[in-house]
Amino acid sequence: MSLATPDQRSEAVSLAAEALGRDFFADWLAGTARPSDYYPYLDNAIGKVAGEVFREPPVVRFKPADNTGAVALIAFGALLFVGNAIYAFTPGAAVGVGNAIAGLIGLVLLILGVAAFSSRAKEKARYETAVQTAFAERAAQWEYYTGSLRDTLRTNLHQYIGKLLGVPMRLHAEFERDSRAHEKLLRTQWADQIAWWQRQPVFPPAPAALPERLGHYEYEEYCAAWLRSRGYVEAVVTRASRDGGVDVECDDVDVQCKHYDTGYVRVQDVREIFGVASHHGKRAAVITSASFSKDAIAFASEAGVALVILDERTGQGRRADSSGFSLRRETLSH
């Protein structure tokens, strides 16, 4: 097997990460190991997995031919040629045309045998060079593979720690960066930071796509569910008679929902929710199933209002403004 295929590499990394995390995590939790002490665990994991990937010897595409035929030609040609030569110089021997032809044939066979033997010797040298090259390439592949595996496993180790600590999946990459910054510390030495990561909520999944259009009030509930999946777990639909233009309320965002089959949300509607949200000391957002007018987009981009086109039939939301307001909450505050 040459350098592992992408699927083999991915599987090998997963297996090594699992073995590494399982063997290392207990010691880390016990406070007897730091993430920076993972090298012995890592070398063990690499040795097992990379050894499995490279367990077969390198393949050389050809093998040298056997010399038996060449040796046989040399022996037979020499016997025929020398035998007839000795006979020809024997006193009183009756040398005929047949003897001359036989001697000539022996000479030709001898020459052919020597040429074949020389060719086989060159082929053997080429084979030995190919074998050396194959093993050198295998050594280079091993270095590349284990180096790549080592870098990947270092990342996976920290993400694995985050997983076992209960850090939400969406934050694994960020936790990995934070964990690397603290990898020379024992778990007990950065316990407060770990506790903060463990407090991060797991957000509910985004609402699924629906086969048919919703009514306006059902669409507001759909928008609230979509906001909860983006970290606004407190998002709730307001009472229609007292919303003041706010359809979905979050702690720091007021949201207006416009459920249209066609048409545009006007700039006046965006100005209205912006004014109400500003009065409440919050940010503003407008979610619609249709689209927004150019004036509405221009105003929202300047005022910092999030404009979202959310079609319940696809379940996909996309931004229409360029305000820079992400309308996504990833973590709780420290």
Side-chain angles (χ1 to χ4, degrees):
M1 186 185 303
S2 61
L3 184 63
T5 65
D7 286 344
Q8 289 170 328
R9 287 175 63 85
S10 177
E11 181 180 2
V13 170
S14 297
L15 291 173
E18 182 179 349
L20 174 64
R22 183 177 58 250
D23 295 342
F24 176 82
F25 193 68
D27 291 343
W28 185 76
L29 284 181
T32 59
R34 299 172 173 82
S36 57
D37 297 331
Y38 71 99
Y39 289 105
Y41 304 87
L42 185 60
D43 290 339
N44 184 49
I46 288 176
K48 289 180 180 178
V49 179
E52 179 69 17
V53 172
F54 290 98
R55 69 183 182 275
E56 297 179 6
V59 176
V60 178
R61 297 296 181 185
F62 71 96
K63 290 185 177 181
D66 191 84
N67 277 326
T68 303
V71 172
L73 276 177
I74 293 173
F76 185 70
L79 179 64
L80 197 60
F81 176 73
V82 172
N84 278 277
I86 292 172
Y87 180 78
F89 288 102
T90 301
V95 179
V97 176
N99 298 105
I101 293 175
L104 183 61
I105 291 174
L107 179 61
V108 170
L109 292 177
L110 178 61
I111 293 172
L112 290 175
V114 170
F117 190 87
S118 176
S119 175
R120 298 296 186 271
K122 291 179 180 178
E123 192 172 292
K124 182 179 180 182
R126 188 164 67 91
Y127 172 76
E128 291 174 350
T129 300
V131 170
Q132 292 175 357
T133 301
F135 274 94
E137 290 177 350
R138 173 55 58 88
Q141 290 173 351
W142 174 273
E143 289 297 323
Y144 171 80
Y145 184 84
T146 54
S148 174
L149 194 58
R150 184 181 299 276
D151 292 341
T152 304
L153 282 176
R154 185 186 180 202
T155 296
N156 284 17
L157 169 64
H158 291 275
Q159 293 186 354
Y160 191 84
I161 290 174
K163 177 182 178 181
L164 294 182
L165 287 174
V167 177
M169 180 68 71
R170 70 181 186 282
L171 299 175
H172 278 190
E174 188 175 345
F175 173 81
E176 180 259 322
R177 291 191 294 270
D178 191 34
S179 180
R180 280 195 183 208
H182 294 84
E183 70 174 2
K184 292 185 178 180
L185 300 179
L186 293 171
R187 178 183 60 84
T188 53
Q189 293 173 309
W190 60 299
D192 290 343
Q193 183 73 355
I194 291 175
W196 179 81
W197 282 107
Q198 291 179 302
R199 288 199 305 271
Q200 301 309 309
V202 176
F203 298 157
L210 301 176
E212 297 179 356
R213 285 283 194 185
L214 296 172
H216 180 73
Y217 296 112
E218 289 81 6
Y219 183 72
E220 291 179 356
E221 292 287 355
Y222 192 88
C223 292
W226 184 80
L227 287 164
R228 286 192 288 270
S229 73
R230 295 175 64 84
Y232 294 94
V233 293
E234 76 286 357
V236 62
V237 176
T238 62
R239 294 176 57 184
S241 60
R242 300 178 56 186
D243 61 15
V246 179
D247 296 316
V248 178
E249 186 176 22
C250 306
D251 288 345
D252 51 0
V253 183
D254 282 340
V255 183
Q256 190 175 75
C257 304
K258 296 292 186 182
H259 190 249
Y260 302 148
D261 290 332
T262 59
Y264 299 90
V265 176
R266 304 170 304 165
V267 66
Q268 293 93 324
D269 297 316
V270 179
R271 289 182 183 277
E272 177 187 6
I273 189 63
F274 175 71
V276 172
S278 298
H279 179 72
H280 294 161
K282 299 181 179 181
R283 303 294 295 268
V286 181
I287 304 178
T288 183
S289 55
S291 187
F292 296 91
S293 69
K294 291 182 179 180
D295 290 342
I297 294 173
F299 172 79
S301 298
E302 182 177 349
V305 179
L307 302 182
V308 180
I309 299 174
L310 177 62
D311 190 335
E312 70 270 34
R313 294 172 299 180
T314 65
Q316 300 297 315
R318 60 183 178 88
R319 294 295 292 271
D321 66 288
S322 58
S323 65
F325 174 29
S326 67
L327 197 61
R328 177 186 289 275
R329 183 189 294 154
E330 291 290 2
T331 63
L332 297 173
S333 59
H334 281 274

